[in-house]
Amino acid sequence: MRRFDPRWLIVLLANLLLCWLAGLANHYLAGFSVHLYLGGLLVVFAALRLDRRQAVIATGLTGLAVDSLLPVPFGTSVVLLLLVLATLLYGRQRFPREGDVFAVVLALLVNLFLFIALSFLLVGANPRPGQAWLRLFVDLLASQFVLVLVTPWFLALQTRALALARIHPETGRRVSL
């Protein structure tokens, strides 16, 4: 008999929490004309700690949720997040899975890629695309700075959520207390 494996659901709920907190921060930063994008953090835990199937489910559903929040054609975030996830899963055996330093660097690189990809997709809709790049650069710097601060907390949150559910992140087996 096959049992339900809730790892993807726990990671998805944590990602939705991060999206909600980023939305709140963006609301309060709107007066300063700064927008935070933390999309790189939505992929890192799933890529480093979950198995392939669970990571694809959690990241795909997270991408759908992000698509509903961003002014992009539907499916853009799903494709970008799954592309990054596939790249990370391909090289995962060479990555150190434990430790926050590598996860922070990985989140920064993934966020940089996603930010640049979305910027190139969205800058054409701006009335003055030439002037939008300076604002995008400031947004990128702010996003990367916040990402350095938030990544250890977010990874610990996801690890603790799986520990509270008594589930090992990589195997999905029940862990006794």
Side-chain angles (χ1 to χ4, degrees), residues 80-97:
L80 287 174
L81 290 177
L82 288 177
L83 175 71
V84 168
L85 178 70
T87 305
L88 294 177
L89 288 176
Y90 177 74
R92 178 166 74 171
Q93 63 271 15
R94 294 184 278 288
F95 296 154
R97 291 183 177 188

Side-chain angles (χ1 to χ4, degrees), residues 10-177:
I10 294 169
V11 172
L12 173 67
L13 291 175
N15 287 345
L16 292 177
L17 175 67
L18 180 69
C19 290
W20 179 67
L21 292 173
L24 284 176
N26 285 330
H27 174 74
Y28 290 110
L29 291 172
F32 301 106
S33 297
V34 176
H35 181 279
L36 298 177
Y37 180 73
L38 304 177
L41 193 51
L42 300 173
V43 180
V44 171
F45 185 83
L48 291 178
R49 300 299 304 269
L50 297 181
D51 63 0
R52 288 173 168 28
R53 182 172 177 254
Q54 297 289 320
V56 168
I57 292 171
T59 305
L61 291 174
T62 299
L64 289 174
V66 170
D67 270 338
S68 68
L69 300 172
L70 293 178
V72 295
F74 196 71
T76 303
S77 295
V78 176
V79 169
L80 287 174
L81 290 177
L82 288 177
L83 175 71
V84 168
L85 178 70
T87 305
L88 294 177
L89 288 176
Y90 177 74
R92 178 166 74 171
Q93 63 271 15
R94 294 184 278 288
F95 296 154
R97 291 183 177 188
E98 301 294 328
D100 289 342
V101 174
F102 181 76
V104 169
V105 171
L106 192 62
L108 287 171
L109 291 173
V110 169
N111 200 59
L112 177 66
F113 169 75
L114 291 172
F115 190 92
I116 290 173
L118 284 172
S119 296
F120 276 110
L121 289 173
L122 298 176
V123 78
N126 196 311
R128 294 183 226 149
Q131 295 176 354
W133 287 107
L134 181 59
R135 179 172 186 262
L136 289 173
F137 181 70
V138 171
D139 290 348
L140 177 63
L141 286 178
S143 298
Q144 298 291 74
F145 178 73
V146 169
L147 203 63
V148 168
L149 298 176
V150 170
T151 300
W153 166 80
F154 189 63
L155 294 175
L157 173 80
Q158 290 179 318
T159 303
R160 184 66 181 145
L162 286 168
L164 285 174
R166 289 193 246 151
I167 299 172
H168 190 271
E170 294 173 14
T171 62
R173 295 180 187 221
R174 288 273 178 199
V175 178
S176 62
L177 293 176

